[in-house]
Amino acid sequence: MKTYDVVVIGAGGAGLSAAVEANAAGASVIVIEKMPYAGGNTLLSYAELACPNNWLQEEQGIEDSVEQFAKEMWEGGGSLAKKELVDIIAANATDAAEWLRDEIGVVYQDYLVWEGGHSVARAVEPVELGPGMINPLLNYATSHGVEVALNTKAEELVVDENGVVTGVVVSRDGQTATISATKGVVLASGGFG
């Protein structure tokens, strides 16, 4: 049985970002991915990030706001989401895009994408689309000590007598094993949308 501080299930954009941040906080991290490659849905997508008041909007003189973005996201989702979570996404989207650009090395197009339901163009898009986000994230993660286990399927969560998740039972090549997590398990499997 191997032990890590943090086990992340899913090697898409969310899982790799979580792994990088946990590692930056000093945690030992393993990412479990059932597919033979990293990337998940992000790899197949355009990897656009809608973010208000971004650098391209500033260059082009496009006026936007966190509040306007949150309102459009909330209404675009039929007002069904948790409003406080929509507000958190809207308030942090540009910081996330800048982190990907400045820390991780994602290279963005020099144009904005105007998504449906948005009042202005506000989405930034990697030059190489999904791979342009996943490859830098994966390279950054592994070069900083994050382990990535491909072809490894999470089968069940290990829960202690207090209801705390303490690990993951995984399978690979017909074999099963348990990976312990001393500080937590991050579920990042399945598309966020």
Side-chain angles (χ1 to χ4, degrees), residues 75-155:
E75 290 172 352
S79 304
L80 298 174
K82 290 186 177 183
K83 182 69 168 82
E84 60 273 16
L85 295 180
V86 170
D87 292 342
I88 289 170
I89 291 170
N92 292 284
T94 303
D95 286 344
E98 290 172 348
W99 174 78
L100 285 163
R101 180 192 67 193
D102 300 339
E103 182 73 22
I104 303 303
V106 172
V107 178
Y108 289 103
Q109 308 278 3
D110 60 359
Y111 60 80
L112 288 164
V113 178
W114 194 326
E115 299 287 359
H118 292 197
S119 60
V120 295
R122 70 167 60 96
V124 295
E125 179 180 89
V127 168
E128 296 177 7
L129 308 176
M133 184 175 290
I134 290 299
N135 292 335
L137 273 168
L138 181 61
N139 292 338
Y140 188 96
T142 58
S143 71
H144 284 78
V146 172
E147 288 187 50
V148 178
L150 302 176
N151 292 308
T152 304
K153 184 178 179 187
E155 296 289 351

Side-chain angles (χ1 to χ4, degrees), residues 17 22 33 52 59 61 67 71 73 106 110 114 137 146 151 192:
S17 295
E33 173 56 54
E59 289 173 11
E67 296 75 21
K71 178 180 182 291
M73 187 187 318
V106 172
D110 60 359
W114 194 326
L137 273 168
V146 172
N151 292 308
F192 179 64

Side-chain angles (χ1 to χ4, degrees), residues 36-98:
Y37 52 84
N41 188 59
T42 306
L43 185 66
L44 305 174
S45 75
Y46 283 74
E48 297 162 349
L49 290 176
C51 46
N53 303 321
N54 66 61
W55 62 96
L56 292 174
Q57 286 181 319
E58 288 176 10
E59 289 173 11
Q60 298 173 25
I62 297 172
E63 291 196 26
D64 199 3
S65 71
V66 169
E67 296 75 21
Q68 185 63 30
F69 176 39
K71 178 180 182 291
E72 292 167 9
M73 187 187 318
W74 170 254
E75 290 172 352
S79 304
L80 298 174
K82 290 186 177 183
K83 182 69 168 82
E84 60 273 16
L85 295 180
V86 170
D87 292 342
I88 289 170
I89 291 170
N92 292 284
T94 303
D95 286 344
E98 290 172 348

Side-chain angles (χ1 to χ4, degrees), residues 32-34 151-156 168-172:
I32 305 302
E33 173 56 54
K34 70 179 178 180
N151 292 308
T152 304
K153 184 178 179 187
E155 296 289 351
E156 69 180 90
V168 181
V169 176
V170 299
S171 64
R172 180 178 187 176

Side-chain angles (χ1 to χ4, degrees), residues 7-11 15 30-33 154 156-157 168 185-190:
V7 177
V8 178
I9 300 173
I30 186 168
V31 179
I32 305 302
E33 173 56 54
E156 69 180 90
L157 298 175
V168 181
V185 174
V186 176
L187 298 178
S189 57

